[in-house]
Amino acid sequence: MAELNTGDGGGGKDKKVRSKKQNSKVDLTAMVDLAFLLITFFMLTTSLSKPQSMDLGMPKNDPNEKPILIADARTMTVLLGPDNKLKMYMGQFVSPIEAPKDVTYGKDGIRIDIQKRLKSVPIEMNDPKKGLIVLIKASKKSNYKNLVDILDEMAISKVPVYAIVDITKEEDNLFTK
């Protein structure tokens, strides 16, 4: 049993006779039980933080599969480089519709270009899969935060189709100039 002793209350070497006081005892058992009950209650009723994740479907590697041909006007390529650098172009790299240009992250940068292209690329028969396609190519020197930021931009802008693709040497050389 948990007790709180407050002293023995007398019985010294004085010559005067004093009445003997009994020890004061406070029983702390109920308080300890209540503390454990409260701790248990709050541990069981709190909600634990749930991990946040983004759905990302990756294709299978099938060497027999033929490449899909896409119209250049529907293809936007975003290049992630070192030191938070970001470039984008429309069409193919060898013959772009819009030449590679430097852009920034955020609502005043890449988001404006994405939303402008979403409006300019016609969606045939209300099929979002026939609209804009964004190819995301990250260099080996880019950081993970940049990739997450550009994926967030895809979600914010509601881009229906986007893919993470390997960057070519020619595209990677744009960042060394």
Side-chain angles (χ1 to χ4, degrees):
M1 171 168 44
E3 295 180 355
L4 178 64
N5 294 326
T6 58
D8 59 358
K13 295 184 180 179
D14 292 345
K15 294 186 179 183
K16 293 183 181 179
V17 177
R18 292 191 181 185
S19 62
K20 189 172 185 175
K21 294 183 184 176
Q22 293 183 351
N23 291 338
S24 300
K25 293 182 180 180
V26 178
D27 187 13
L28 298 176
T29 306
M31 189 181 300
V32 171
D33 287 345
L34 180 65
F36 280 115
L37 284 173
L38 286 173
I39 289 171
T40 305
F41 172 77
F42 286 117
M43 283 175 57
L44 294 175
T45 57
T46 58
S47 61
L48 300 174
S49 64
K50 296 175 181 142
Q52 297 177 350
S53 63
M54 183 180 297
D55 292 333
L56 183 63
M58 299 299 284
K60 297 177 185 175
N61 280 341
D62 187 9
N64 298 330
E65 190 173 337
K66 295 178 182 176
I68 300 170
L69 300 176
I70 303 168
D72 290 347
R74 291 180 51 203
T75 308
M76 173 190 237
T77 304
V78 178
L79 304 172
L80 309 175
D83 302 324
N84 299 327
K85 291 182 183 174
L86 183 66
K87 293 183 184 278
M88 61 85 49
Y89 64 90
M90 287 295 294
Q92 295 183 17
F93 184 71
V94 291
S95 59
I97 295 173
E98 184 179 320
K101 67 176 184 176
D102 292 327
V103 288
T104 59
Y105 291 94
K107 64 181 180 179
D108 296 329
I110 188 72
R111 193 177 307 167
I112 292 172
D113 290 320
I114 293 171
Q115 291 173 348
K116 182 172 66 172
R117 292 298 173 184
L118 278 171
K119 291 177 184 174
S120 69
V121 174
I123 298 176
E124 299 172 13
M125 299 179 294
N126 296 327
D127 187 5
K129 302 226 183 232
K130 294 189 177 182
L132 179 69
I133 297 173
V134 179
L135 301 176
I136 302 167
K137 298 182 178 186
S139 95
K140 294 190 188 240
K141 295 179 184 175
S142 66
N143 59 30
Y144 184 72
K145 181 188 177 302
N146 293 344
L147 184 62
V148 171
D149 288 344
I150 201 67
L151 290 175
D152 286 342
E153 291 296 332
M154 297 297 121
I156 291 168
S157 299
K158 297 179 182 167
V159 175
V161 179
Y162 56 91
I164 300 172
V165 185
D166 291 332
I167 193 167
T168 64
K169 290 179 184 178
E170 294 82 15
E171 290 169 331
D172 201 18
N173 288 337
L174 286 175
F175 295 109
T176 57
K177 291 181 181 179

